[in-house]
Amino acid sequence: MEAPAAVPVHRCEAAGACGGRRPLPAEHGFRFIPGIYHNLPDTLRRIPFPGNANGVWDNLVAPAEMSFARSGREDLRIPLPWPGHRPAELTLDEIRRALTALLDTAGSIPLHETAYFVNRFLVFLTSCDERRDQVWERTPWWEFLRADRMSYDYQRILAVGLTRNIVATKAEEASTRTVATLLEAFAFNALGRGADGPLDRILNLPTNEAWIDPWVDHLTGLGVEFRIGWTVRELAYDSGARRIGAAVVEDPQGATHRVTADHYVCAMPVEHARRTWGAALRAADPQLARCDRLETDWMTGIQFYLTERAPLLAGHANCIDSPWSLTAIQQARHWPARDFAADYGDGAVVDCLSVDISEWDRPGILYGKTAKQCTRAEVAREVWAQLKAAFNDTGRTVLKDGALHSWFLDPGVDGLGTPNPTNEDQLLIHPVGTFHNRPRAATAVPNLYLAGDYVAVDIDLATMEGANASARQAVNALLDRTGSAAARCAVRPLFRAPELEGLKRHDRIRYRLGLPHALDVG
């Protein structure tokens, strides 16, 4: 098969603006705040935003649909109903295509495979906590689903779809506990059980405008001081006092300083945090050393700026056949308070297609190289080619080369096309056994606490929700150790369906007797 032609794609350094407009909005990756989150939404409600009764939380909007974009086949469009939710408007051709995709997908997964998947999901739903933590945590999702025996569509949709495109973890390695817990939470969310809101929510403005800038203003008003460009080099452990003696930091000019405090909260991604833990500190609390076993991978965003609105769907698209496991969303339609051309860039751009690249180690379709082996410009061209393969494949030209204005790739990725590419913004992934290496927020060091998406919390996933919950746990641990009478932070766990608890108790008995789950047909 002949490789697609390379299309010139221009990079938009600094997302250039003119005529008093804002720079084109760029980001590490699009925000996704599902209704299974509760702790993060509580924080969003506490951040004031002009004109919003519920602060930043009121800036959340719910896309009307999502899709599995297939290469060479009609895309499967899935409506996301919710009370008060206006469904997406479809043309007759779109209805025809949606029905074709539904019947094609239903027919491509044999009935016995569908029944098997449902059985496996029921097994997990009714498994006791002990079986989840000990057996399913050590069982790869691929093995749990017996995916190697199943059809291509079973593998791509049910095995790979969530693990690679959403969690950036390979289905062959991902912990069943992690993946199935997420599926369980989403299923209850779709049923309106224990949900903060719709299944899929995004922000109605660029992330900085809708959330980060108001948050910084609020915290600054409370007396928080931000030091931009400073780097924490070490949390220096005082072996005599058996506590952290200082944080060793480096200023933007390269000078080193020692910052002392009564207590220290280490709130960094795990790949950055563990660089600051020296041998003495690790010896003081072995759970810190176990964090070296936690694995990260690349999941990074790229934005394409368009001079024409592409007729895609009103929500997220999961390009499940793309070699680089792409997910994407058009943003302008979800930002009603903004006239994109009037407010951003040079006035020619009317929309932004924001794309997450989840697979960086498989060859692409344009150059035959992995994303890490490509230069930044080659990554942009390759992603654009894979998007066209997913969307321009059934008689429609959805993405036009002539409408492509420019692109922006996360600057945290560096050295692409060289033997040693780096990524400063990696994502914690969840191969089997990860759950047992996650640390607690309260450490054995009396004045050190951990906060981040790698800390052990109820949601076993690298998420903003997990980071938020861990920060609340860290604050509570600090208050407990100091004997403070202040109110503790509320930490809300994932929803547990009460009607399933009896079945879980039955499975607990079987587990302790060394018996398999009653529904487990192998």
Side-chain angles (χ1 to χ4, degrees), residues 356-438:
D356 279 354
I357 309 168
S358 297
E359 173 59 78
W360 287 75
D361 295 303
R362 286 185 60 189
I365 63 175
L366 196 60
Y367 299 105
K369 298 191 292 187
T370 70
K372 292 177 182 176
Q373 293 171 334
C374 290
T375 65
R376 295 178 72 87
E378 288 173 340
V379 167
R381 296 188 188 103
E382 177 71 52
V383 172
W384 185 250
Q386 292 187 30
L387 290 171
K388 290 195 298 180
F391 295 120
N392 294 0
D393 56 341
T394 55
R396 294 188 303 168
T397 302
V398 177
L399 297 177
K400 301 178 181 178
D401 294 336
L404 184 54
H405 177 277
S406 51
W407 56 271
F408 187 91
L409 177 63
D410 184 348
V413 175
D414 195 17
L416 290 175
T418 72
N420 298 298
T422 59
N423 188 343
E424 285 297 307
D425 305 303
Q426 297 192 38
L427 180 73
L428 179 73
I429 60 173
H430 301 77
V432 293
T434 296
F435 170 75
H436 300 289
N437 293 320
R438 283 175 169 261

Side-chain angles (χ1 to χ4, degrees), residues 5 9 28 82 87 90 103 116 120 134 193 222 233 250 265-266 326 338 345 371 381 415 422 453 512:
V9 183
H28 167 68
W82 194 258
L90 300 177
L103 294 175
Y116 186 78
R120 302 309 287 165
Q134 299 302 322
R193 303 290 303 279
L222 294 174
R233 293 301 182 191
E250 184 179 293
V265 178
C266 181
L326 307 179
R338 289 280 175 261
R381 296 188 188 103
T422 59
D453 60 11
R512 291 176 178 177

Side-chain angles (χ1 to χ4, degrees), residues 46-323:
R46 296 167 183 264
I47 303 172
F49 192 91
N52 287 359
N54 297 299
V56 167
W57 187 86
D58 282 341
N59 289 337
L60 296 177
V61 293
E65 58 182 340
M66 64 166 290
S67 81
F68 289 113
R70 309 305 307 270
S71 296
R73 297 161 65 177
E74 292 290 355
D75 300 341
L76 180 61
R77 296 177 68 158
I78 304 170
L80 300 175
W82 194 258
H85 205 179
R86 181 182 177 183
E89 296 180 1
L90 300 177
T91 65
L92 187 61
D93 182 62
E94 288 173 326
I95 293 173
R96 177 185 64 80
R97 291 176 181 275
L99 290 175
T100 300
L102 178 63
L103 294 175
D104 175 56
T105 302
S108 64
I109 301 180
L111 185 59
H112 72 276
E113 292 186 0
T114 301
Y116 186 78
F117 177 83
V118 171
N119 169 264
R120 302 309 287 165
F121 189 46
L122 292 178
V123 166
F124 186 84
L125 278 179
T126 54
S127 289
C128 64
D129 291 342
E130 291 91 333
R131 193 182 300 277
R132 292 185 181 202
D133 294 350
Q134 299 302 322
V135 178
W136 303 141
E137 170 60 24
R138 302 183 189 282
T139 303
W141 179 241
W142 187 268
E143 179 183 323
F144 181 77
L145 295 183
R146 303 293 188 268
D148 59 334
R149 308 176 189 175
M150 304 300 185
S151 63
Y152 173 81
D153 275 6
Y154 180 100
Q155 295 172 348
R156 294 305 302 176
I157 295 174
L158 301 178
V160 175
L162 275 177
T163 56
R164 196 61 191 155
N165 294 59
I166 304 300
V167 192
T169 296
K170 294 179 175 64
E172 296 84 351
E173 304 171 1
S175 153
T176 291
R177 182 188 187 278
T178 295
V179 178
T181 296
L182 181 67
L183 272 178
E184 177 184 22
F186 280 167
F188 285 128
N189 189 171
L191 295 171
R193 303 290 303 279
D196 179 79
L199 184 68
D200 185 358
R201 294 180 297 186
I202 58 177
L203 293 165
N204 64 359
L205 289 167
T207 304
N208 273 21
E209 296 180 43
W211 176 9
I212 304 302
D213 291 344
W215 199 7
V216 170
D217 291 342
H218 180 55
L219 293 174
T220 302
L222 294 174
V224 175
E225 181 181 349
F226 292 93
R227 294 290 184 93
I228 306 299
W230 292 59
T231 303
V232 179
R233 293 301 182 191
E234 183 184 5
L235 293 175
Y237 182 68
D238 185 334
S239 299
R242 297 185 179 180
R243 55 195 296 116
I244 301 296
V248 180
V249 300
E250 184 179 293
D251 66 25
Q253 288 71 45
T256 300
H257 309 263
R258 291 176 65 87
V259 179
T260 59
D262 295 327
H263 296 272
Y264 300 81
V265 178
C266 181
M268 291 182 276
V270 66
E271 69 272 20
H272 297 288
R274 57 193 175 197
R275 297 173 191 166
T276 70
W277 304 335
L281 179 56
R282 289 164 179 262
D285 189 348
Q287 71 170 346
L288 299 180
R290 287 200 302 273
C291 287
D292 288 338
R293 303 174 190 170
L294 297 177
E295 298 181 30
T296 60
D297 204 345
W298 290 29
M299 186 177 188
T300 303
I302 183 172
Q303 288 78 54
F304 294 97
Y305 304 105
L306 309 176
T307 57
E308 296 179 20
R309 291 278 182 92
L312 296 177
L313 75 159
H316 290 99
N318 187 333
C319 304
I320 61 175
D321 297 317
S322 59

